[in-house]
Amino acid sequence: MGRGTIRYWAAAKDASGVAEEPFEAGTLAELIEGVTRGRAELARVAGRSSFLVDGHPVGRRAHDTVVLADGVTVEVLPPFAGG
């Protein structure tokens, strides 16, 4: 079970109400499930977001295969508009 920090950007920050918070989870899937529980808007935003784990993109990997170690930082990056 990893302990770390999750950072929210843009719409994820608005939906969570905080810029970052500590977490304890074994996988990215467990983390997302935990932080979105009871936060419907954050769940909606997270469902469309990309994730970085210690600066490395998760990409299309299944979230239940992304193991989180102690001290890890996970960043939630919603889709950005613009061009």
Side-chain angles (χ1 to χ4, degrees), residues 15-57:
S16 70
V18 296
E20 64 181 47
E21 60 188 331
F23 73 83
E24 187 172 321
T27 67
L28 182 57
E30 291 172 8
L31 171 58
I32 296 167
E33 180 181 329
V35 299
T36 60
R37 189 174 299 121
R39 295 159 115 177
E41 181 61 15
L42 181 57
R44 186 185 70 76
V45 172
R48 298 178 307 138
S49 295
S50 301
F51 298 89
L52 298 177
V53 176
D54 278 343
H56 301 284

